[in-house]
Amino acid sequence: MKHILLLTLLFTSLFNFAQATGRIMVDGRTITQDIPYLMDMNKAGILVFNIAVDVKGNVTSCKLNKMESTIKSTVYAYQAKNLILMKLKFEKGNGYPTFHQGLVTISARIPD
């Protein structure tokens, strides 16, 4: 039983470090302008967004994935969405799909 618990904690902690995932990262597209993936919120949880990136590297679509998100606050969702749309940039390139798909996870940080 201890081994199962240890393995579960190990695997969940490894996946928590991946902030941008999905097809966009599998295809090896690099992030050229990064964002902080932690936001000050009043409770613990995550916000997960489905994104689409054009060939210029700009995030053109950002939609909250309500099924995977654990935080239901509209205010925090809008703040995170604006951060992703305005600041997150990816590598340019014509070899990538026109609307390259991926996921971005924003984690909550409870201020002291």
Side-chain angles (χ1 to χ4, degrees):
M1 185 66 177
K2 290 180 183 179
H3 296 289
I4 293 172
L5 181 61
L6 179 63
L7 288 174
T8 303
L9 289 173
L10 177 67
F11 284 120
T12 56
S13 66
L14 288 175
F15 290 117
N16 284 340
F17 292 114
Q19 304 299 331
T21 58
R23 190 71 197 165
I24 197 164
M25 299 313 283
V26 170
D27 291 343
R29 197 163 190 178
T30 58
I31 297 171
T32 58
Q33 185 176 334
D34 215 354
I35 60 171
Y37 297 100
L38 287 174
M39 285 181 59
D40 289 337
M41 299 184 201
N42 58 3
K43 64 179 183 175
I46 59 170
L47 291 166
V48 180
F49 293 90
N50 297 331
I51 63 166
V53 179
D54 63 9
V55 293
K56 295 178 183 177
N58 300 316
V59 178
T60 57
S61 173
C62 182
K63 184 175 180 191
L64 180 65
N65 186 326
K66 292 180 182 179
M67 295 297 289
E68 294 187 32
S69 298
T70 59
I71 295 175
K72 305 299 180 200
S73 172
T74 306
V75 173
Y76 294 134
Y78 276 114
Q79 289 175 354
K81 180 179 180 176
N82 287 337
L83 179 68
I84 293 167
L85 285 170
M86 293 180 175
K87 305 257 177 155
L88 187 61
K89 304 289 183 204
F90 287 85
E91 176 182 17
K92 297 177 184 179
N94 290 328
Y96 297 114
T98 304
F99 296 107
H100 216 170
Q101 304 293 314
L103 295 172
V104 173
T105 303
I106 305 289
S107 299
R109 177 179 56 208
I110 302 173
D112 295 333

